[in-house]
Amino acid sequence: MRLRYTAACVGVTAAALMVTSACGTDGAKTAAKAVDKADMIMAALARATDQTENLGSAQVRTTTETPTASPVTMDGTYSWGHGLAFDVLMDTKAAHLQQLHAAAKTRTVYVDGAYYYEIDPQPSGPFKGKEWMKIDASAVFGNKGAEALQGSSGAGSPAAAMKGLKYANNVDDLGKETVDGQSATHYRAVVDKEHMGKFKKAYGNNLFGSMTGGSDSITMDIWVGAKDLPVRMKQWFGSLTVTMDFEKFGATAAIKAPPAAQTGDVTEQVKKATAQQQG
């Protein structure tokens, strides 16, 4: 719902709206109810955000969809208590890793500011005898973007996505629905162009642009179930859609980097290739 009214009907607070004679009593009451409902929705979303952040980790299935490519699914553990970390399985073909990994699924780990992709040991080159490929996040998002991922906010994590709800200027309660067999309340929140500045600042412009294609508005649907915890969250960034299904919160295994001896680091090669493309 957009809490916007004509100049004749706008008051500073709900109380002011109720005594604005130009609107009439019925109009003032309607406006006050709209404000109260929006406040209730934001309070419910704030509780869900706090619960998610406090638990620190979850089993999550994330699906990213674009009009020009096959959906990419990542299914596994996400952690955000001390910066972003995850240990997931993703589609090898969708991730364009089929030349390095024959299996249909590829284990992907992000921890301590670097991505690790499980690969088949190669006969020669930087992956000779190696079982993992490493790429530092700075090669993908730049230094500031990588710092945002490792910061206390854990930018890019499910918890960070939840925190983005506080920047919404347009919220609605769409009622009760059943999602993944669970009863949940469906909320919708929109961060429009005028309110995107703080959202981008929280993520860092470079990281935000890489994640969203530079979209200037975000629509977020969230289904909140028992114990004020999210069951599903769906975000639209222009033509990009990201869906997170939450399976279990907390008590997840610690996420660790693979042994260095089993890892081939191609961070510098990726940085050079990126620089050449941008040049």
Side-chain angles (χ1 to χ4, degrees), residues 235-248:
Q235 301 174 87
W236 286 270
F237 306 92
S239 61
L240 177 71
T241 304
V242 179
T243 303
M244 298 180 186
D245 286 299
F246 300 88
E247 303 295 333
K248 182 183 74 173

Side-chain angles (χ1 to χ4, degrees), residues 149-221:
L149 288 172
Q150 286 310 109
S152 59
S153 64
S157 73
M162 295 285 292
K163 287 181 181 180
L165 292 167
K166 69 182 178 182
Y167 303 118
N169 59 297
N170 176 3
V171 294
D172 205 354
D173 181 340
L174 302 180
K176 291 284 187 179
E177 297 178 14
T178 299
V179 179
D180 286 343
Q182 302 180 55
S183 177
T185 302
H186 183 183
Y187 299 103
R188 176 165 293 165
V190 178
V191 183
D192 66 15
K193 185 175 182 179
E194 295 178 4
H195 295 77
M196 285 294 290
K198 292 182 179 179
F199 196 101
K200 289 182 179 180
K201 186 176 181 180
Y203 276 80
N205 285 335
N206 194 25
L207 174 59
F208 181 87
S210 298
M211 292 170 59
T212 68
S215 176
D216 58 9
S217 68
I218 299 174
T219 299
M220 295 175 276
D221 277 21

Side-chain angles (χ1 to χ4, degrees), residues 217-229:
S217 68
I218 299 174
T219 299
M220 295 175 276
D221 277 21
I222 180 169
W223 290 259
V224 179
K227 299 180 181 179
D228 291 322
L229 288 171

Side-chain angles (χ1 to χ4, degrees), residues 85-87 107-112 114 116 132 253-259:
F86 57 74
D87 186 342
R107 185 181 173 193
T108 304
V109 176
Y110 179 84
V111 65
D112 298 331
Y116 298 86
W132 294 88
I255 298 173
K256 299 180 180 179

